[in-house]
Each structure stands twice: as C-alpha cells, then as structure tokens.
Amino acid sequence: MTIRTLIWHEHRHEKKNKLVASLYPEGMHGALKKAFAGDKDFVVDHALLDDDAEHGLSEKRLAETDVLIWWGHAAHGDVKDEIVERVAKRVYEGMGLIVLHSGHYSKIFKRLMGTPCSLKWREAGEKELVWIINPNHPIAEGLPECIKIEHEEMYGEPFSIPEPLETVMISHFEGGEVFRSGVTYRRGAGNVFYFRPGHEAYPTYYNTDVLRVIKNATRWAYNPAKPWTGIHPAPNVPHDKAPYPLEVKGPRLHEDGQEGFR
C-alpha cells in the first residue's frame, strides 16, 4: 500500500510575516511533511497557491492524489472556483480530504459542507486541551487521552457545520470555550476530516501528537477503491437500454441524447 499524499498550502504568511517565517522557515507544508517522515506507506508532495494558474492542482495531479491535506487562511478568496469544483469532484470520486485549522473557511470545505462553517475565535496564545472522545477510532490510534498544546488560537462553539458522521475530538481552551476539533464526514466516495489546531503564529505543527493525528487521519481517509466516476456526467438511460427495456408511455421534455437541465 502506498498512499499518495499531497499537502496544499497557500504559503502567503511565511513570505510577509517575520514571525511565521521564523517559526516555519521551510513553510508550514515543510513542517507537515515531517508527520510522514520514514513511513514507507506514504509518498508525500506539496502544492502551493501561487505555483501556477491552477494553484498546483491540475487534473492530472489530483488524479494521482489519494489524500489531499488543505491549509489556508488569508487567501481563501484567491482560490479559483473552477479549481474548487475540480477538487470537490475528486472527493466525490474517492479522494480523501483533510482540512486543517482555518481551512474551515476555505471554499472547498464550505462547498462540501453546504453551510457557513463559522465559529467564535480569539488570538491570545492560550492553552488548548484536545480531548479524544472516541479513543477506538483509527484517527486516535497511539494518542494519549488528551493532546496538550501550550499556545493556540481559540475556536469556540457554535461551529456552523452539518452534524458530523463522527466526532473524534473536542477542545477546551483556557478561557473556557469548547469546540468540536476533530470531525469526520463522507462526501460521495470520499472521506473528509476536519482538524482544528494549526494557527500559523504558534509552533503547533511541531507537536508530535498533532502530527500523529494528521498522519492517522490521512491513513483513515485513504480509499483504495477505483475512482467512482460514472455518476458525474448524470447519464440519461434510454428506455430501450433499461435493465428491462420498455416503451415510452408519456410525454417527454427531452429528445433522445439531449442533456438534462442543470
């Protein structure tokens, strides 16, 4: 088994903010890659927002990706809508998607959730305790009952997401708020996991437990089945090609071979 993993990162803060540049001199994608270091089950690459006109997410590259990890914050609006639709299509086909931290506001996460994905927040460098409330879940493998993060940005409920398939983790912050910080979904044939920690002003992606979650989630999100591609064209089934061929018995809006309304 080889899980072809692609880390997508907007890579803007490291270029403009000295603090972020000092924390992540190889980019946040460089720190995230270390989650998979030495594990032969994964082949890991990265793509950046400004790589090219397709944000490093060409159809060919996505077709060769089993799991996409997404981090964005300041440049959600710069991601082209046609690329968002391209990524969504691959998720429906079976590509896994891991959305990190402020990616809750990314176009792709809102597209797949169908909700605002809004929340409360505070940037005060407070302690975060990420409690594992589903310890038997594959994403929780090898983790303590609680992940301790010394300094993080606060995200607080209510979090306007659909009811998750599973809630694996909840966070408690020093100021008192709580947050559903690890939740799973299924969209089409694709597994989706949202994981909260990862504010760029703090060294969260050097925390070994945080990296363990991301690695576990990538393994969980991997779907070894062939891409489920047949449903996307919304094919019309002619009456004489039905499993039991039949006669047309009523009026029709569409001629034979004509596409349906969209």
Side-chain angles (χ1 to χ4, degrees):
M1 175 185 69
T2 300
I3 302 174
R4 300 169 299 178
T5 304
L6 183 63
I7 299 170
W8 188 91
H9 179 215
E10 66 182 37
H11 195 50
R12 291 279 180 87
H13 279 97
E14 295 92 332
K15 299 176 183 179
K16 299 180 179 180
N17 186 287
K18 292 182 179 179
L19 171 62
V20 182
S22 67
L23 286 173
Y24 295 103
E26 299 177 6
M28 298 182 78
H29 54 285
L32 289 167
K33 283 183 177 180
K34 294 178 182 178
F36 307 94
D39 194 322
K40 296 180 180 179
D41 287 347
F42 300 88
V43 174
V44 183
D45 201 355
H46 70 268
L48 307 177
L49 175 64
D50 298 321
D51 274 351
D52 53 40
E54 298 178 291
H55 311 318
L57 299 173
S58 66
E59 290 187 0
K60 181 177 184 296
R61 196 168 198 187
L62 285 172
E64 296 170 348
T65 298
D66 296 315
V67 180
L68 178 65
I69 299 173
W70 190 281
W71 193 101
H73 190 184
H76 296 319
D78 292 347
V79 179
K80 296 176 181 178
D81 291 344
E82 58 264 34
I83 304 301
V84 175
E85 292 304 311
R86 183 182 296 174
V87 174
K89 179 175 179 289
R90 278 290 294 126
V91 173
Y92 298 145
E93 291 175 352
M95 181 183 74
L97 178 66
I98 313 298
V99 177
L100 300 175
H101 190 60
S102 45
H104 72 92
Y105 259 162
S106 64
K107 287 183 177 181
I108 183 58
F109 191 62
K110 292 194 291 184
R111 170 70 173 80
L112 293 172
M113 296 299 105
T115 60
C117 300
S118 296
L119 45 82
K120 297 177 182 178
W121 66 281
R122 177 175 58 245
E123 191 180 24
E126 57 201 279
K127 292 180 181 179
E128 177 181 3
L129 299 179
V130 183
W131 289 95
I132 313 300
I133 63 171
N134 191 346
N136 290 331
H137 196 282
I139 294 176
E141 182 181 353
L143 293 170
E145 68 172 0
C146 176
I147 299 172
K148 299 177 181 179
I149 303 175
E150 192 64 27
H151 301 290
E152 251 297 353
E153 181 181 27
M154 183 278 292
Y155 280 5
E157 296 286 348
F159 187 14
S160 58
I161 51 174
E163 187 65 25
L165 179 66
E166 303 155 305
T167 300
V168 184
M169 304 166 188
I170 58 172
S171 287
H172 175 265
F173 292 89
E174 195 171 347
E177 291 88 354
V178 297
F179 190 77
R180 289 168 289 171
S181 53
V183 291
T184 73
Y185 295 92
R186 173 70 63 82
R187 292 293 182 264
N191 295 314
V192 179
F193 180 64
Y194 171 77
F195 185 46
R196 198 220 69 84
H199 186 51
E200 59 270 32
Y202 309 117
T204 301
Y205 291 141
Y206 296 106
N207 183 305
T208 55
D209 288 333
V210 169
L211 294 182
R212 181 65 180 262
V213 171
I214 294 169
K215 179 180 175 180
N216 286 351
T218 303
R219 193 186 300 277
W220 166 86
Y222 170 61
N223 182 352
K226 292 182 179 180
W228 182 28
T229 58
I231 197 64
H232 297 295
N236 176 274
V237 181
H239 66 279
D240 57 348
K241 297 295 191 295
Y244 296 100
L246 47 82
E247 295 181 5
V248 177
K249 300 174 183 178
R252 298 188 298 172
L253 291 176
H254 302 282
E255 301 294 333
D256 289 342
Q258 184 181 4
E259 288 191 5
F261 301 126
R262 302 199 183 196

